[in-house]
PDB file of all heavy atoms in Angstrom:
ATOM      1  N   PRO X   1       0.826  -1.220   0.000  1.00  0.00           N
ATOM      2  CA  PRO X   1       0.000   0.000   0.000  1.00  0.00           C
ATOM      3  C   PRO X   1       0.856   1.264   0.000  1.00  0.00           C
ATOM      4  O   PRO X   1       1.734   1.431   0.856  1.00  0.00           O
ATOM      5  CB  PRO X   1      -0.801  -0.120   1.304  1.00  0.00           C
ATOM      6  CG  PRO X   1       0.086  -0.941   2.207  1.00  0.00           C
ATOM      7  CD  PRO X   1       0.803  -1.925   1.305  1.00  0.00           C
ATOM      8  N   ASP X   2       0.629   2.124  -0.959  1.00  0.00           N
ATOM      9  CA  ASP X   2       1.309   3.418  -1.060  1.00  0.00           C
ATOM     10  C   ASP X   2       0.276   4.524  -0.890  1.00  0.00           C
ATOM     11  O   ASP X   2      -0.932   4.263  -0.816  1.00  0.00           O
ATOM     12  CB  ASP X   2       1.994   3.558  -2.422  1.00  0.00           C
ATOM     13  CG  ASP X   2       2.898   2.379  -2.744  1.00  0.00           C
ATOM     14  OD1 ASP X   2       3.733   2.048  -1.897  1.00  0.00           O
ATOM     15  OD2 ASP X   2       2.756   1.798  -3.845  1.00  0.00           O
ATOM     16  N   TYR X   3       0.748   5.782  -0.848  1.00  0.00           N
ATOM     17  CA  TYR X   3      -0.162   6.908  -0.661  1.00  0.00           C
ATOM     18  C   TYR X   3       0.168   8.061  -1.601  1.00  0.00           C
ATOM     19  O   TYR X   3       1.341   8.340  -1.872  1.00  0.00           O
ATOM     20  CB  TYR X   3      -0.092   7.440   0.781  1.00  0.00           C
ATOM     21  CG  TYR X   3      -0.708   6.541   1.827  1.00  0.00           C
ATOM     22  CD1 TYR X   3       0.077   5.610   2.506  1.00  0.00           C
ATOM     23  CD2 TYR X   3      -2.066   6.627   2.132  1.00  0.00           C
ATOM     24  CE1 TYR X   3      -0.471   4.785   3.473  1.00  0.00           C
ATOM     25  CE2 TYR X   3      -2.615   5.800   3.101  1.00  0.00           C
ATOM     26  CZ  TYR X   3      -1.822   4.885   3.772  1.00  0.00           C
ATOM     27  OH  TYR X   3      -2.376   4.072   4.720  1.00  0.00           O
ATOM     28  N   ALA X   4      -0.883   8.712  -2.069  1.00  0.00           N
ATOM     29  CA  ALA X   4      -0.760  10.012  -2.728  1.00  0.00           C
ATOM     30  C   ALA X   4      -1.301  11.032  -1.732  1.00  0.00           C
ATOM     31  O   ALA X   4      -2.397  10.864  -1.190  1.00  0.00           O
ATOM     32  CB  ALA X   4      -1.573  10.052  -4.024  1.00  0.00           C
ATOM     33  N   LEU X   5      -0.502  12.047  -1.473  1.00  0.00           N
ATOM     34  CA  LEU X   5      -0.832  13.009  -0.420  1.00  0.00           C
ATOM     35  C   LEU X   5      -0.808  14.425  -0.974  1.00  0.00           C
ATOM     36  O   LEU X   5       0.160  14.840  -1.606  1.00  0.00           O
ATOM     37  CB  LEU X   5       0.183  12.865   0.716  1.00  0.00           C
ATOM     38  CG  LEU X   5       0.148  13.874   1.860  1.00  0.00           C
ATOM     39  CD1 LEU X   5      -1.178  13.813   2.591  1.00  0.00           C
ATOM     40  CD2 LEU X   5       1.305  13.604   2.826  1.00  0.00           C
ATOM     41  N   GLY X   6      -1.897  15.157  -0.778  1.00  0.00           N
ATOM     42  CA  GLY X   6      -1.963  16.557  -1.166  1.00  0.00           C
ATOM     43  C   GLY X   6      -1.741  17.435   0.051  1.00  0.00           C
ATOM     44  O   GLY X   6      -2.412  17.266   1.076  1.00  0.00           O
ATOM     45  N   ILE X   7      -0.760  18.353  -0.026  1.00  0.00           N
ATOM     46  CA  ILE X   7      -0.499  19.265   1.085  1.00  0.00           C
ATOM     47  C   ILE X   7      -0.547  20.700   0.565  1.00  0.00           C
ATOM     48  O   ILE X   7      -0.370  20.939  -0.633  1.00  0.00           O
ATOM     49  CB  ILE X   7       0.872  18.989   1.750  1.00  0.00           C
ATOM     50  CG1 ILE X   7       2.022  19.189   0.756  1.00  0.00           C
ATOM     51  CG2 ILE X   7       0.901  17.587   2.337  1.00  0.00           C
ATOM     52  CD1 ILE X   7       3.401  19.036   1.379  1.00  0.00           C
ATOM     53  N   GLU X   8      -0.817  21.647   1.462  1.00  0.00           N
ATOM     54  CA  GLU X   8      -0.846  23.055   1.071  1.00  0.00           C
ATOM     55  C   GLU X   8      -0.096  23.895   2.092  1.00  0.00           C
ATOM     56  O   GLU X   8      -0.004  23.536   3.275  1.00  0.00           O
ATOM     57  CB  GLU X   8      -2.283  23.547   0.921  1.00  0.00           C
ATOM     58  CG  GLU X   8      -3.085  23.565   2.201  1.00  0.00           C
ATOM     59  CD  GLU X   8      -4.542  23.969   1.970  1.00  0.00           C
ATOM     60  OE1 GLU X   8      -4.991  23.942   0.816  1.00  0.00           O
ATOM     61  OE2 GLU X   8      -5.215  24.303   2.967  1.00  0.00           O
ATOM     62  N   ALA X   9       0.455  24.994   1.600  1.00  0.00           N
ATOM     63  CA  ALA X   9       1.209  25.891   2.469  1.00  0.00           C
ATOM     64  C   ALA X   9       0.245  26.591   3.423  1.00  0.00           C
ATOM     65  O   ALA X   9      -0.709  27.241   2.992  1.00  0.00           O
ATOM     66  CB  ALA X   9       1.973  26.913   1.637  1.00  0.00           C
ATOM     67  N   ALA X  10       0.490  26.444   4.724  1.00  0.00           N
ATOM     68  CA  ALA X  10      -0.364  27.082   5.722  1.00  0.00           C
ATOM     69  C   ALA X  10      -0.021  28.556   5.881  1.00  0.00           C
ATOM     70  O   ALA X  10      -0.808  29.334   6.418  1.00  0.00           O
ATOM     71  CB  ALA X  10      -0.227  26.370   7.065  1.00  0.00           C
ATOM     72  N   SER X  11       1.152  28.944   5.395  1.00  0.00           N
ATOM     73  CA  SER X  11       1.627  30.327   5.423  1.00  0.00           C
ATOM     74  C   SER X  11       2.706  30.431   4.350  1.00  0.00           C
ATOM     75  O   SER X  11       3.188  29.410   3.850  1.00  0.00           O
ATOM     76  CB  SER X  11       2.190  30.685   6.809  1.00  0.00           C
ATOM     77  OG  SER X  11       3.271  29.838   7.143  1.00  0.00           O
ATOM     78  N   PRO X  12       3.097  31.643   3.950  1.00  0.00           N
ATOM     79  CA  PRO X  12       4.161  31.759   2.938  1.00  0.00           C
ATOM     80  C   PRO X  12       5.418  31.017   3.371  1.00  0.00           C
ATOM     81  O   PRO X  12       5.863  31.147   4.514  1.00  0.00           O
ATOM     82  CB  PRO X  12       4.391  33.273   2.857  1.00  0.00           C
ATOM     83  CG  PRO X  12       3.079  33.869   3.261  1.00  0.00           C
ATOM     84  CD  PRO X  12       2.554  32.956   4.337  1.00  0.00           C
ATOM     85  N   GLN X  13       5.981  30.220   2.457  1.00  0.00           N
ATOM     86  CA  GLN X  13       7.136  29.392   2.775  1.00  0.00           C
ATOM     87  C   GLN X  13       8.327  29.776   1.902  1.00  0.00           C
ATOM     88  O   GLN X  13       8.198  29.872   0.680  1.00  0.00           O
ATOM     89  CB  GLN X  13       6.809  27.908   2.546  1.00  0.00           C
ATOM     90  CG  GLN X  13       5.637  27.391   3.348  1.00  0.00           C
ATOM     91  CD  GLN X  13       5.891  27.425   4.835  1.00  0.00           C
ATOM     92  OE1 GLN X  13       6.949  27.006   5.302  1.00  0.00           O
ATOM     93  NE2 GLN X  13       4.924  27.919   5.593  1.00  0.00           N
ATOM     94  N   LYS X  14       9.464  30.014   2.543  1.00  0.00           N
ATOM     95  CA  LYS X  14      10.694  30.289   1.822  1.00  0.00           C
ATOM     96  C   LYS X  14      11.326  28.972   1.393  1.00  0.00           C
ATOM     97  O   LYS X  14      11.598  28.112   2.231  1.00  0.00           O
ATOM     98  CB  LYS X  14      11.678  31.065   2.705  1.00  0.00           C
ATOM     99  CG  LYS X  14      11.289  32.514   2.954  1.00  0.00           C
ATOM    100  CD  LYS X  14      11.588  33.375   1.721  1.00  0.00           C
ATOM    101  CE  LYS X  14      11.383  34.861   2.026  1.00  0.00           C
ATOM    102  NZ  LYS X  14      11.650  35.697   0.828  1.00  0.00           N
ATOM    103  N   GLU X  15      11.539  28.812   0.101  1.00  0.00           N
ATOM    104  CA  GLU X  15      12.200  27.611  -0.411  1.00  0.00           C
ATOM    105  C   GLU X  15      13.187  28.029  -1.480  1.00  0.00           C
ATOM    106  O   GLU X  15      12.802  28.600  -2.499  1.00  0.00           O
ATOM    107  CB  GLU X  15      11.187  26.617  -0.963  1.00  0.00           C
ATOM    108  CG  GLU X  15      10.340  25.952   0.104  1.00  0.00           C
ATOM    109  CD  GLU X  15       9.626  24.709  -0.398  1.00  0.00           C
ATOM    110  OE1 GLU X  15       9.772  24.389  -1.597  1.00  0.00           O
ATOM    111  OE2 GLU X  15       8.923  24.074   0.400  1.00  0.00           O
ATOM    112  N   GLY X  16      14.448  27.738  -1.264  1.00  0.00           N
ATOM    113  CA  GLY X  16      15.474  28.152  -2.210  1.00  0.00           C
ATOM    114  C   GLY X  16      15.531  29.662  -2.300  1.00  0.00           C
ATOM    115  O   GLY X  16      15.618  30.356  -1.291  1.00  0.00           O
ATOM    116  N   ASP X  17      15.461  30.162  -3.520  1.00  0.00           N
ATOM    117  CA  ASP X  17      15.501  31.610  -3.727  1.00  0.00           C
ATOM    118  C   ASP X  17      14.111  32.226  -3.856  1.00  0.00           C
ATOM    119  O   ASP X  17      13.977  33.422  -4.116  1.00  0.00           O
ATOM    120  CB  ASP X  17      16.301  31.938  -5.010  1.00  0.00           C
ATOM    121  CG  ASP X  17      17.766  31.531  -4.887  1.00  0.00           C
ATOM    122  OD1 ASP X  17      18.284  31.556  -3.761  1.00  0.00           O
ATOM    123  OD2 ASP X  17      18.358  31.169  -5.922  1.00  0.00           O
ATOM    124  N   GLY X  18      13.069  31.402  -3.704  1.00  0.00           N
ATOM    125  CA  GLY X  18      11.720  31.915  -3.902  1.00  0.00           C
ATOM    126  C   GLY X  18      10.831  31.725  -2.687  1.00  0.00           C
ATOM    127  O   GLY X  18      11.258  31.227  -1.642  1.00  0.00           O
ATOM    128  N   THR X  19       9.590  32.152  -2.848  1.00  0.00           N
ATOM    129  CA  THR X  19       8.593  32.038  -1.788  1.00  0.00           C
ATOM    130  C   THR X  19       7.365  31.330  -2.333  1.00  0.00           C
ATOM    131  O   THR X  19       6.868  31.665  -3.410  1.00  0.00           O
ATOM    132  CB  THR X  19       8.178  33.419  -1.257  1.00  0.00           C
ATOM    133  OG1 THR X  19       9.324  34.083  -0.725  1.00  0.00           O
ATOM    134  CG2 THR X  19       7.118  33.292  -0.168  1.00  0.00           C
ATOM    135  N   ILE X  20       6.875  30.351  -1.602  1.00  0.00           N
ATOM    136  CA  ILE X  20       5.640  29.661  -1.952  1.00  0.00           C
ATOM    137  C   ILE X  20       4.517  30.328  -1.175  1.00  0.00           C
ATOM    138  O   ILE X  20       4.544  30.395   0.052  1.00  0.00           O
ATOM    139  CB  ILE X  20       5.736  28.170  -1.617  1.00  0.00           C
ATOM    140  CG1 ILE X  20       6.820  27.515  -2.483  1.00  0.00           C
ATOM    141  CG2 ILE X  20       4.399  27.478  -1.824  1.00  0.00           C
ATOM    142  CD1 ILE X  20       7.018  26.054  -2.210  1.00  0.00           C
ATOM    143  N   GLU X  21       3.527  30.831  -1.893  1.00  0.00           N
ATOM    144  CA  GLU X  21       2.447  31.579  -1.261  1.00  0.00           C
ATOM    145  C   GLU X  21       1.511  30.668  -0.483  1.00  0.00           C
ATOM    146  O   GLU X  21       1.368  29.472  -0.790  1.00  0.00           O
ATOM    147  CB  GLU X  21       1.652  32.354  -2.322  1.00  0.00           C
ATOM    148  CG  GLU X  21       2.462  33.378  -3.100  1.00  0.00           C
ATOM    149  CD  GLU X  21       3.028  34.471  -2.208  1.00  0.00           C
ATOM    150  OE1 GLU X  21       2.371  34.804  -1.198  1.00  0.00           O
ATOM    151  OE2 GLU X  21       4.114  34.980  -2.516  1.00  0.00           O
ATOM    152  N   GLU X  22       0.862  31.239   0.519  1.00  0.00           N
ATOM    153  CA  GLU X  22      -0.132  30.506   1.288  1.00  0.00           C
ATOM    154  C   GLU X  22      -1.222  29.987   0.358  1.00  0.00           C
ATOM    155  O   GLU X  22      -1.708  30.703  -0.512  1.00  0.00           O
ATOM    156  CB  GLU X  22      -0.741  31.410   2.354  1.00  0.00           C
ATOM    157  CG  GLU X  22      -1.796  30.728   3.216  1.00  0.00           C
ATOM    158  CD  GLU X  22      -2.353  31.636   4.283  1.00  0.00           C
ATOM    159  OE1 GLU X  22      -1.834  32.765   4.442  1.00  0.00           O
ATOM    160  OE2 GLU X  22      -3.302  31.227   4.972  1.00  0.00           O
ATOM    161  N   GLY X  23      -1.610  28.729   0.535  1.00  0.00           N
ATOM    162  CA  GLY X  23      -2.656  28.138  -0.289  1.00  0.00           C
ATOM    163  C   GLY X  23      -2.127  27.412  -1.511  1.00  0.00           C
ATOM    164  O   GLY X  23      -2.884  26.680  -2.163  1.00  0.00           O
ATOM    165  N   ASN X  24      -0.838  27.600  -1.850  1.00  0.00           N
ATOM    166  CA  ASN X  24      -0.249  26.818  -2.929  1.00  0.00           C
ATOM    167  C   ASN X  24      -0.131  25.366  -2.481  1.00  0.00           C
ATOM    168  O   ASN X  24       0.010  25.082  -1.294  1.00  0.00           O
ATOM    169  CB  ASN X  24       1.119  27.365  -3.337  1.00  0.00           C
ATOM    170  CG  ASN X  24       1.006  28.556  -4.269  1.00  0.00           C
ATOM    171  OD1 ASN X  24      -0.065  29.147  -4.413  1.00  0.00           O
ATOM    172  ND2 ASN X  24       2.108  28.915  -4.900  1.00  0.00           N
ATOM    173  N   ARG X  25      -0.162  24.469  -3.454  1.00  0.00           N
ATOM    174  CA  ARG X  25      -0.271  23.063  -3.109  1.00  0.00           C
ATOM    175  C   ARG X  25       0.821  22.208  -3.726  1.00  0.00           C
ATOM    176  O   ARG X  25       1.439  22.589  -4.723  1.00  0.00           O
ATOM    177  CB  ARG X  25      -1.652  22.552  -3.531  1.00  0.00           C
ATOM    178  CG  ARG X  25      -2.733  23.132  -2.630  1.00  0.00           C
ATOM    179  CD  ARG X  25      -4.121  22.844  -3.094  1.00  0.00           C
ATOM    180  NE  ARG X  25      -5.069  23.128  -2.008  1.00  0.00           N
ATOM    181  CZ  ARG X  25      -6.379  23.135  -2.147  1.00  0.00           C
ATOM    182  NH1 ARG X  25      -6.917  22.878  -3.322  1.00  0.00           N
ATOM    183  NH2 ARG X  25      -7.152  23.393  -1.117  1.00  0.00           N
ATOM    184  N   ARG X  26       1.026  21.039  -3.125  1.00  0.00           N
ATOM    185  CA  ARG X  26       2.060  20.109  -3.580  1.00  0.00           C
ATOM    186  C   ARG X  26       1.525  18.685  -3.472  1.00  0.00           C
ATOM    187  O   ARG X  26       0.829  18.337  -2.524  1.00  0.00           O
ATOM    188  CB  ARG X  26       3.310  20.282  -2.732  1.00  0.00           C
ATOM    189  CG  ARG X  26       4.457  19.340  -3.062  1.00  0.00           C
ATOM    190  CD  ARG X  26       5.697  19.709  -2.259  1.00  0.00           C
ATOM    191  NE  ARG X  26       6.198  21.036  -2.675  1.00  0.00           N
ATOM    192  CZ  ARG X  26       7.101  21.730  -1.990  1.00  0.00           C
ATOM    193  NH1 ARG X  26       7.584  21.246  -0.854  1.00  0.00           N
ATOM    194  NH2 ARG X  26       7.508  22.901  -2.425  1.00  0.00           N
ATOM    195  N   LEU X  27       1.855  17.899  -4.462  1.00  0.00           N
ATOM    196  CA  LEU X  27       1.502  16.479  -4.460  1.00  0.00           C
ATOM    197  C   LEU X  27       2.727  15.674  -4.050  1.00  0.00           C
ATOM    198  O   LEU X  27       3.815  15.858  -4.607  1.00  0.00           O
ATOM    199  CB  LEU X  27       1.044  16.047  -5.854  1.00  0.00           C
ATOM    200  CG  LEU X  27       0.754  14.559  -6.041  1.00  0.00           C
ATOM    201  CD1 LEU X  27      -0.478  14.155  -5.235  1.00  0.00           C
ATOM    202  CD2 LEU X  27       0.558  14.237  -7.515  1.00  0.00           C
ATOM    203  N   LEU X  28       2.556  14.791  -3.079  1.00  0.00           N
ATOM    204  CA  LEU X  28       3.617  13.896  -2.634  1.00  0.00           C
ATOM    205  C   LEU X  28       3.196  12.456  -2.894  1.00  0.00           C
ATOM    206  O   LEU X  28       2.047  12.083  -2.636  1.00  0.00           O
ATOM    207  CB  LEU X  28       3.890  14.063  -1.135  1.00  0.00           C
ATOM    208  CG  LEU X  28       4.247  15.458  -0.620  1.00  0.00           C
ATOM    209  CD1 LEU X  28       4.457  15.412   0.895  1.00  0.00           C
ATOM    210  CD2 LEU X  28       5.480  16.007  -1.316  1.00  0.00           C
ATOM    211  N   LEU X  29       4.116  11.644  -3.398  1.00  0.00           N
ATOM    212  CA  LEU X  29       3.879  10.220  -3.581  1.00  0.00           C
ATOM    213  C   LEU X  29       4.731   9.479  -2.559  1.00  0.00           C
ATOM    214  O   LEU X  29       5.961   9.471  -2.641  1.00  0.00           O
ATOM    215  CB  LEU X  29       4.241   9.789  -4.997  1.00  0.00           C
ATOM    216  CG  LEU X  29       3.495  10.507  -6.121  1.00  0.00           C
ATOM    217  CD1 LEU X  29       3.867   9.899  -7.472  1.00  0.00           C
ATOM    218  CD2 LEU X  29       1.990  10.479  -5.910  1.00  0.00           C
ATOM    219  N   ALA X  30       4.071   8.898  -1.573  1.00  0.00           N
ATOM    220  CA  ALA X  30       4.745   8.197  -0.474  1.00  0.00           C
ATOM    221  C   ALA X  30       4.717   6.700  -0.758  1.00  0.00           C
ATOM    222  O   ALA X  30       3.645   6.081  -0.778  1.00  0.00           O
ATOM    223  CB  ALA X  30       4.069   8.510   0.853  1.00  0.00           C
ATOM    224  N   ILE X  31       5.898   6.125  -0.991  1.00  0.00           N
ATOM    225  CA  ILE X  31       6.010   4.722  -1.375  1.00  0.00           C
ATOM    226  C   ILE X  31       6.491   3.887  -0.191  1.00  0.00           C
ATOM    227  O   ILE X  31       7.451   4.245   0.502  1.00  0.00           O
ATOM    228  CB  ILE X  31       6.995   4.566  -2.560  1.00  0.00           C
ATOM    229  CG1 ILE X  31       6.564   5.471  -3.720  1.00  0.00           C
ATOM    230  CG2 ILE X  31       7.074   3.113  -3.002  1.00  0.00           C
ATOM    231  CD1 ILE X  31       5.173   5.208  -4.254  1.00  0.00           C
ATOM    232  N   ARG X  32       5.804   2.778   0.029  1.00  0.00           N
ATOM    233  CA  ARG X  32       6.154   1.898   1.147  1.00  0.00           C
ATOM    234  C   ARG X  32       7.470   1.187   0.865  1.00  0.00           C
ATOM    235  O   ARG X  32       7.689   0.630  -0.217  1.00  0.00           O
ATOM    236  CB  ARG X  32       5.042   0.877   1.391  1.00  0.00           C
ATOM    237  CG  ARG X  32       5.258  -0.013   2.616  1.00  0.00           C
ATOM    238  CD  ARG X  32       4.125  -1.008   2.750  1.00  0.00           C
ATOM    239  NE  ARG X  32       4.398  -1.996   3.777  1.00  0.00           N
ATOM    240  CZ  ARG X  32       3.854  -2.009   4.991  1.00  0.00           C
ATOM    241  NH1 ARG X  32       3.009  -1.065   5.329  1.00  0.00           N
ATOM    242  NH2 ARG X  32       4.132  -2.962   5.843  1.00  0.00           N
ATOM    243  N   GLN X  33       8.360   1.181   1.867  1.00  0.00           N
ATOM    244  CA  GLN X  33       9.664   0.545   1.755  1.00  0.00           C
ATOM    245  C   GLN X  33       9.624  -0.879   2.334  1.00  0.00           C
ATOM    246  O   GLN X  33       8.645  -1.289   2.946  1.00  0.00           O
ATOM    247  CB  GLN X  33      10.714   1.382   2.483  1.00  0.00           C
ATOM    248  CG  GLN X  33      10.777   2.839   2.036  1.00  0.00           C
ATOM    249  CD  GLN X  33      11.088   2.976   0.557  1.00  0.00           C
ATOM    250  OE1 GLN X  33      12.194   2.687   0.110  1.00  0.00           O
ATOM    251  NE2 GLN X  33      10.107   3.419  -0.221  1.00  0.00           N
ATOM    252  N   GLY X  34      10.706  -1.612   2.133  1.00  0.00           N
ATOM    253  CA  GLY X  34      10.750  -2.987   2.588  1.00  0.00           C
ATOM    254  C   GLY X  34      10.626  -3.145   4.088  1.00  0.00           C
ATOM    255  O   GLY X  34      10.174  -4.186   4.573  1.00  0.00           O
ATOM    256  N   ASP X  35      11.020  -2.098   4.849  1.00  0.00           N
ATOM    257  CA  ASP X  35      10.929  -2.175   6.310  1.00  0.00           C
ATOM    258  C   ASP X  35       9.593  -1.665   6.848  1.00  0.00           C
ATOM    259  O   ASP X  35       9.404  -1.568   8.052  1.00  0.00           O
ATOM    260  CB  ASP X  35      12.082  -1.410   6.960  1.00  0.00           C
ATOM    261  CG  ASP X  35      12.054   0.085   6.631  1.00  0.00           C
ATOM    262  OD1 ASP X  35      11.158   0.524   5.860  1.00  0.00           O
ATOM    263  OD2 ASP X  35      12.932   0.818   7.126  1.00  0.00           O
ATOM    264  N   GLY X  36       8.670  -1.337   5.942  1.00  0.00           N
ATOM    265  CA  GLY X  36       7.347  -0.873   6.365  1.00  0.00           C
ATOM    266  C   GLY X  36       7.225   0.624   6.509  1.00  0.00           C
ATOM    267  O   GLY X  36       6.133   1.133   6.735  1.00  0.00           O
ATOM    268  N   SER X  37       8.337   1.361   6.392  1.00  0.00           N
ATOM    269  CA  SER X  37       8.283   2.817   6.472  1.00  0.00           C
ATOM    270  C   SER X  37       7.911   3.385   5.097  1.00  0.00           C
ATOM    271  O   SER X  37       7.807   2.652   4.109  1.00  0.00           O
ATOM    272  CB  SER X  37       9.632   3.382   6.924  1.00  0.00           C
ATOM    273  OG  SER X  37      10.628   3.137   5.941  1.00  0.00           O
ATOM    274  N   TYR X  38       7.721   4.698   5.038  1.00  0.00           N
ATOM    275  CA  TYR X  38       7.357   5.364   3.793  1.00  0.00           C
ATOM    276  C   TYR X  38       8.370   6.448   3.459  1.00  0.00           C
ATOM    277  O   TYR X  38       8.869   7.137   4.346  1.00  0.00           O
ATOM    278  CB  TYR X  38       5.962   5.981   3.889  1.00  0.00           C
ATOM    279  CG  TYR X  38       4.856   4.952   3.818  1.00  0.00           C
ATOM    280  CD1 TYR X  38       4.422   4.295   4.971  1.00  0.00           C
ATOM    281  CD2 TYR X  38       4.261   4.632   2.610  1.00  0.00           C
ATOM    282  CE1 TYR X  38       3.416   3.334   4.908  1.00  0.00           C
ATOM    283  CE2 TYR X  38       3.262   3.678   2.541  1.00  0.00           C
ATOM    284  CZ  TYR X  38       2.840   3.028   3.684  1.00  0.00           C
ATOM    285  OH  TYR X  38       1.868   2.083   3.613  1.00  0.00           O
ATOM    286  N   GLN X  39       8.660   6.583   2.168  1.00  0.00           N
ATOM    287  CA  GLN X  39       9.526   7.653   1.688  1.00  0.00           C
ATOM    288  C   GLN X  39       8.852   8.365   0.530  1.00  0.00           C
ATOM    289  O   GLN X  39       8.127   7.738  -0.254  1.00  0.00           O
ATOM    290  CB  GLN X  39      10.884   7.111   1.226  1.00  0.00           C
ATOM    291  CG  GLN X  39      11.773   6.632   2.343  1.00  0.00           C
ATOM    292  CD  GLN X  39      13.156   6.254   1.842  1.00  0.00           C
ATOM    293  OE1 GLN X  39      13.499   6.480   0.683  1.00  0.00           O
ATOM    294  NE2 GLN X  39      13.956   5.674   2.712  1.00  0.00           N
ATOM    295  N   VAL X  40       9.069   9.685   0.430  1.00  0.00           N
ATOM    296  CA  VAL X  40       8.552  10.450  -0.703  1.00  0.00           C
ATOM    297  C   VAL X  40       9.434  10.141  -1.902  1.00  0.00           C
ATOM    298  O   VAL X  40      10.618  10.462  -1.907  1.00  0.00           O
ATOM    299  CB  VAL X  40       8.553  11.963  -0.409  1.00  0.00           C
ATOM    300  CG1 VAL X  40       8.161  12.746  -1.653  1.00  0.00           C
ATOM    301  CG2 VAL X  40       7.595  12.271   0.736  1.00  0.00           C
ATOM    302  N   ARG X  41       8.861   9.501  -2.929  1.00  0.00           N
ATOM    303  CA  ARG X  41       9.607   9.139  -4.120  1.00  0.00           C
ATOM    304  C   ARG X  41       9.138   9.917  -5.348  1.00  0.00           C
ATOM    305  O   ARG X  41       9.511   9.604  -6.466  1.00  0.00           O
ATOM    306  CB  ARG X  41       9.483   7.628  -4.367  1.00  0.00           C
ATOM    307  CG  ARG X  41      10.233   6.790  -3.350  1.00  0.00           C
ATOM    308  CD  ARG X  41      11.715   7.161  -3.342  1.00  0.00           C
ATOM    309  NE  ARG X  41      12.476   6.367  -2.385  1.00  0.00           N
ATOM    310  CZ  ARG X  41      13.168   5.278  -2.716  1.00  0.00           C
ATOM    311  NH1 ARG X  41      13.157   4.854  -3.953  1.00  0.00           N
ATOM    312  NH2 ARG X  41      13.850   4.643  -1.796  1.00  0.00           N
TER     313      ARG X  41
END
């Protein structure tokens, strides 16, 4: 079992040289590993 996860910025976020505005969204694909943990792949 793997997961697709939608997250959104709760406030403006500084990332690298830019800023992600509040309400912007990101899709994460969390894949189950052999030890049962999950990693964003």
Side-chain angles (χ1 to χ4, degrees):
D2 308 309
Y3 289 93
L5 173 62
I7 61 176
E8 65 184 16
S11 60
Q13 302 296 314
K14 288 284 188 181
E15 289 196 358
D17 296 330
T19 300
I20 296 179
E21 299 298 328
E22 180 178 353
N24 279 14
R25 289 172 165 171
R26 178 174 294 167
L27 175 68
L28 304 179
L29 302 185
I31 305 301
R32 185 181 171 104
Q33 306 301 291
D35 63 358
S37 66
Y38 285 86
Q39 289 186 8
V40 174
R41 290 302 181 97

